[in-house]
Amino acid sequence: MKNTLILTSMTAALMSLSSQAAVIINPTTITYTGTGVEFFTDETHLIDGSGLSEPVTVANVGTVTHASVGSGNAWVTNDPGAGGGDYFAESGDATIVFEVTFDQAYSVTDFVNWAYGFGTVNDNNISSVTFDYGVGNFDSSTGPIAIAEASSGGASVITSLGGITADRIRLTVTDNHYIPVGGDGGDRLGLAELRFVGTAVPEPSTTGLIGLAGLAFILRRRR
């Protein structure tokens, strides 16, 4: 009877963990570590909600918009060509790298970014990103992931990350949406806001609880 009670309580805890709901992950810190010269220099505007039409939730993440960008609500590089052209062709070996940390470890399913724009599509937006990630350090990485162009200025773009486990992520931008003919922008690299979506990873003590649940099950079968 005692083992049955243990199994019941542990199973209830396990079921509660398995039904964790997805949440918006707002990074607690962000640091620009690249070598590309900044024009709007405060990267904290990428995680502080400045410019967003409303607070972001899982329910509205695909519809929240961003206002026309400026120095108080976005981040952007300089124009190394001083007159247009492709940022990544003209900036030499400049890198665009941001490191973000979370309040705990998550299984991260999606990356969400809001376009750098002035009410219309702007080709300064990111188009290819590599993610280094991990818990406590950056010990895993993805290959380059294509980021779609926003359909209108300020719209959000949701990109699948497949459930990577991380309490920190390093974003290395490898290209923007520069279009040689008929495009608008691309001479700089800019972002307006970013978030992630995922589920909380159980703390080690909780993982131990799951193990006890399995042990209780074994003991019950042996009686």
Side-chain angles (χ1 to χ4, degrees), residues 62 69 86 111-129 145-159 173 175-192:
V69 295
D86 182 355
F111 168 59
V112 188
N113 73 280
W114 280 263
Y116 180 91
F118 300 86
T120 60
V121 173
N122 185 284
D123 296 323
N124 291 335
N125 292 320
I126 61 178
S127 69
S128 179
V129 179
I145 296 178
I147 308 295
E149 179 78 287
S151 58
S152 62
S156 60
V157 179
I158 301 175
T159 303
V173 182
D175 206 357
N176 63 6
H177 281 282
Y178 170 72
I179 301 174
V181 179
D184 183 11
D187 52 346
R188 304 171 188 264
L189 189 287
L191 301 90

Side-chain angles (χ1 to χ4, degrees), residues 63-148:
T63 58
V64 172
T65 58
H66 194 281
S68 183
V69 295
S71 60
N73 65 16
W75 182 95
V76 71
T77 67
N78 71 336
D79 172 6
D86 182 355
Y87 176 81
F88 282 92
E90 297 181 339
S91 61
D93 58 357
T95 60
I96 306 297
V97 185
F98 297 92
E99 294 182 2
V100 300
T101 61
F102 307 142
D103 61 339
Q104 66 167 85
Y106 291 89
S107 175
V108 184
T109 56
D110 299 285
F111 168 59
V112 188
N113 73 280
W114 280 263
Y116 180 91
F118 300 86
T120 60
V121 173
N122 185 284
D123 296 323
N124 291 335
N125 292 320
I126 61 178
S127 69
S128 179
V129 179
T130 295
F131 296 91
D132 299 302
Y133 62 91
V135 177
N137 52 49
F138 300 105
D139 57 5
S140 300
S141 63
T142 68
I145 296 178
I147 308 295

Side-chain angles (χ1 to χ4, degrees), residues 23-30 47 100-108 134-136 166-169 196 198-201 203:
V23 296
I24 295 295
I25 307 168
N26 191 349
T28 54
T29 68
I30 183 169
I47 64 172
V100 300
T101 61
F102 307 142
D103 61 339
Q104 66 167 85
Y106 291 89
S107 175
V108 184
V135 177
D167 67 1
R168 64 200 61 216
I169 290 178
F196 296 86
T199 56
V201 172
E203 296 292 333

